[in-house]
Amino acid sequence: MKIKIKNLTKSYDEEVVLKDISLEIKDAKVVGIIGESGCGKSTLLRQLSGIEMADSGYICVNGSEIDESTVHSYQSRIGVVFQKHSLFPHLSIRDNILLILNKVRGMDKSDADILTDRLLNDFHLIEIANKIPSKVSGGQAQRASIVRAIATDPELLFLDEPTAALDPLLTGEVLDTILDLKNKGSQFVFVTHEMDFLRKTADHFIFMHEGHIIETGGIDILDNPKTAMLANFVKR
């Protein structure tokens, strides 16, 4: 994965959330974004995934510059998972995945059925396949959201604190699913507050504070931070 950002600024009303940030990542498979609440982590993820456009600056991900003219094509090649599952409430878990395969990939019914069942089996969801989201646990629904996001075989996946809305008992199963994605070779960028999970999963991190990128680099830097700010964050 290659990410290049130059002088990126993003505001909401009169509050500047991303403050002229620049970044270059030349070779990473899994990138984790960390920092205190309100530091701009999720806002940065939304810029990288094209969900929102920046006020100013330049973003290029895997050779694709993201702007108004390119964002539709770019988003057709990525997947996004939000803090709360975004499954269609009136469809079963299985039909949520089938719909994406039929509508986005244009896959015929027979092939879509086979792929959906394989994914549900691989991620241990086959037993709840015919239930609607309100009839499964929050962890199962979030795992189904992840499966739906990867069903179209995206070149890159973005996950915005996928365990934030879950209680601790359900967090582990979602984190295990994400770790399984890494082991299967998926490339992704995620926002997290789970430091142990960051160490297990990411090979590159971005540490943010009050709209700035304070440190970024290989995950081993967390054992010997360059700044007192990151050292204190890791210690907490």
Side-chain angles (χ1 to χ4, degrees), residues 112-152:
D113 284 340
I114 292 170
L115 178 55
T116 296
D117 286 343
R118 179 174 65 77
L119 288 169
L120 290 170
N121 271 305
D122 286 350
F123 290 94
H124 314 293
L125 293 168
I126 195 68
E127 292 183 357
I128 63 162
N130 295 317
K131 295 183 178 181
I132 61 173
S134 63
K135 299 300 182 182
V136 304
S137 73
Q140 289 170 325
Q142 189 65 303
R143 283 160 54 206
S145 290
I146 294 170
V147 171
R148 188 178 67 174
I150 66 171
T152 57

Side-chain angles (χ1 to χ4, degrees), residues 56-209:
S56 61
Y58 169 90
I59 307 178
C60 185
V61 179
N62 285 348
S64 297
E65 185 175 347
I66 305 171
D67 57 31
E68 295 284 0
S69 65
T70 63
V71 67
H72 181 73
S73 172
Y74 171 71
Q75 288 191 321
S76 71
R77 306 193 305 273
I78 66 170
V80 182
V81 178
F82 301 97
Q83 290 184 14
K84 294 182 180 180
H85 79 78
S86 55
L87 300 172
F88 297 111
H90 62 292
L91 296 179
S92 69
I93 299 299
R94 191 171 190 275
D95 285 343
N96 262 278
I97 299 168
L98 283 171
L99 181 66
I100 296 299
L101 293 175
N102 291 329
K103 298 296 185 183
V104 177
R105 288 188 62 178
M107 189 177 288
D108 66 51
K109 185 178 186 306
S110 177
D111 289 341
D113 284 340
I114 292 170
L115 178 55
T116 296
D117 286 343
R118 179 174 65 77
L119 288 169
L120 290 170
N121 271 305
D122 286 350
F123 290 94
H124 314 293
L125 293 168
I126 195 68
E127 292 183 357
I128 63 162
N130 295 317
K131 295 183 178 181
I132 61 173
S134 63
K135 299 300 182 182
V136 304
S137 73
Q140 289 170 325
Q142 189 65 303
R143 283 160 54 206
S145 290
I146 294 170
V147 171
R148 188 178 67 174
I150 66 171
T152 57
D153 194 25
E155 65 179 54
L156 193 56
L157 188 63
F158 294 90
L159 303 104
D160 185 7
E161 293 205 66
T163 63
L166 302 176
D167 64 51
L169 291 176
L170 300 176
T171 293
E173 65 183 62
V174 175
L175 296 182
D176 285 346
T177 297
I178 299 169
L179 192 56
D180 200 17
L181 288 179
K182 178 188 177 181
N183 295 335
K184 286 177 166 60
S186 295
Q187 295 190 32
F188 52 96
V189 180
F190 67 103
V191 171
T192 188
H193 57 274
E194 302 278 349
M195 290 300 294
D196 288 342
F197 180 71
L198 176 79
R199 291 176 182 273
K200 290 177 183 177
T201 310
D203 52 37
H204 196 104
F205 78 94
I206 300 168
F207 171 59
M208 299 187 67
H209 179 73

Side-chain angles (χ1 to χ4, degrees), residues 5 21-23 44 206-209 211-216:
I5 297 172
I21 64 174
S22 296
L23 168 73
L44 176 58
I206 300 168
F207 171 59
M208 299 187 67
H209 179 73
H212 298 282
I213 294 175
I214 305 300
E215 284 199 53
T216 183

